[in-house]
Amino acid sequence: LFTPVAAVPERVRAYWRTYDAHRDEHGRLNGHVAAPKYGFACHVYVAETDAAALQAARAAYADFFEAFHWLFALRGDPYVERLRDFDALYGQGLMLVGSPATVTARLREIVTATGINYFAGVFAWGSLGTERVLRSLRLFTEQVVPAMRAVPAGG
């Protein structure tokens, strides 16, 4: 979570360099895995419109941040302060928020830019509540996933 999209391609390349360097070692970790996975995770909220999604997500994220950052603040660790600004995270692609069409387009951009082969969405966060989370999941599974499957690998 919260890894800038721009940093992911180099991490994927580093993964493959390490994988290639050790692929034939006896007893290597996950040697039984034929097709390794490398992915991206971020917060997701899908609503019927971009405006509705952004309004709900901003408020829910403020609550998420307040609950998330307190332990770091107690330790005097400034790490999470960079995560306070929802709009900055949204602008960097670290929050997939919007209508099904918007989320699909942004997810396609991430897949194309990074070369990932799986995505892990965080759907329940902050104060979204059960009803909103379930509606978001339904929109994602019924509209975003089929649209993503319709795109050939690598594009």
Side-chain angles (χ1 to χ4, degrees):
L1 284 176
F2 304 117
T3 297
V5 173
V8 174
E10 177 51 36
R11 290 181 180 192
V12 169
R13 286 190 295 273
Y15 171 85
W16 281 112
R17 284 191 302 269
T18 303
Y19 179 85
D20 289 340
H22 300 281
R23 81 168 55 219
D24 296 324
E25 289 180 9
H26 177 73
R28 89 174 159 80
L29 185 62
N30 292 329
H32 64 286
V33 176
K37 302 281 186 207
Y38 42 97
F40 183 77
C42 70
H43 288 72
V44 179
Y45 183 65
V46 187
E48 288 74 13
T49 67
D50 289 343
L54 285 166
Q55 181 180 13
R58 268 192 196 96
Y61 186 77
D63 293 332
F64 166 81
F65 183 81
E66 287 307 312
F68 178 73
H69 96 290
W70 72 270
L71 180 59
F72 292 90
L74 286 175
R75 294 188 317 204
D77 185 343
Y79 166 76
V80 296
E81 277 307 309
R82 70 182 182 83
L83 306 178
R84 182 179 293 277
D85 186 347
F86 171 88
D87 290 312
L89 297 172
Y90 175 77
Q92 295 170 32
L94 299 179
M95 306 286 290
L96 280 179
V97 175
S99 67
T102 295
V103 170
T104 300
R106 290 186 70 128
L107 187 53
R108 281 184 182 150
E109 290 170 6
I110 290 168
V111 169
T112 300
T114 61
I116 61 170
N117 64 7
Y118 81 91
F119 172 73
V122 178
F123 288 88
W125 43 272
S127 56
L128 285 174
T130 303
E131 183 179 318
R132 283 183 172 155
V133 169
L134 291 176
R135 185 173 62 241
S136 176
L137 277 165
R138 185 174 59 255
L139 289 168
F140 190 87
T141 58
E142 291 176 357
Q143 296 184 44
V144 177
V145 171
M148 292 301 295
R149 286 185 175 146
V151 176

